[in-house]
Amino acid sequence: MKMKRRTDRLWSAADAPFDIDEFLRQPLVARVATGHRVIRPVWYLWEDETFWVITGKWSRLADRLQADSAFELVVDTCDIRTGRTLQVIARGCGSVVPFEDAERGRRKLVRYLGPDETLWDDRFALPQPPTDETWWAKLVPDTMWVSDQSFKPSMNGS
C-alpha cells in the first residue's frame, strides 16, 4: 500500500508509516492531558484499541476524567544515536472503571517492572482481591495520529 504523506508529517492511524500496535507494546511513558492543561506522565497498557492506566485514590486522574472525559495522550521516542523518532497522538474520551481485571494489571506492570514480582517495589503490589481504592482509567481514542519524525544523525557522534 502506498502511503499518503501529509504536509505536517502526520498520518492517520490507517496510513501509519510503522506498526502502531508494535510501537505501543513497548514499555514507554505516555503523557496524558485532561481538563484545563493538566499533563501527567503515565505508564499504560495498549489493549483492545484502548489505553489502560491504573489509578486510584492516590491520584487526581479519576476526578479529572469524571469532571471532563476528554483526553489527549502522546507516546513518543527519540533515539539521538540513530535518529529514529516516532510518535502516536491519541484524542478521545476516558472513563473510570472498576479494577476487576488483575491479569490486565499484571500485564501492564510486567511491561515496566519485569516478570519477577518479588523484585517489584511494594507500591506496585496488585490488590488481592481488587479493592474500591484502585480503578482503571480507560482511555478510548476517537482519533489517532502517527508521526515518523526520524532524521539523519550527525556523523561526529556528539
Side-chain angles (χ1 to χ4, degrees), residues 28-39:
L28 302 170
V29 174
R31 280 150 325 275
V32 63
T34 59
H36 302 285
R37 296 188 216 158
V38 177
I39 300 171

Side-chain angles (χ1 to χ4, degrees), residues 23-53:
F23 176 73
L24 293 175
R25 279 193 292 268
Q26 297 177 73
L28 302 170
V29 174
R31 280 150 325 275
V32 63
T34 59
H36 302 285
R37 296 188 216 158
V38 177
I39 300 171
R40 296 290 182 263
V42 295
W43 287 354
Y44 67 91
L45 182 66
W46 171 251
E47 284 187 353
D48 305 323
E49 297 185 355
T50 299
F51 292 94
W52 298 91
V53 176

Side-chain angles (χ1 to χ4, degrees), residues 65-76:
L65 285 173
Q66 289 171 339
D68 180 353
S69 66
F71 77 88
E72 187 161 336
L73 181 139
V74 176
V75 181
D76 58 353

Side-chain angles (χ1 to χ4, degrees), residues 86-101:
L86 307 175
Q87 70 178 203
V88 171
I89 303 168
R91 284 188 185 148
C93 290
S95 59
V96 179
V97 298
F99 187 87
E100 295 175 343
D101 190 343

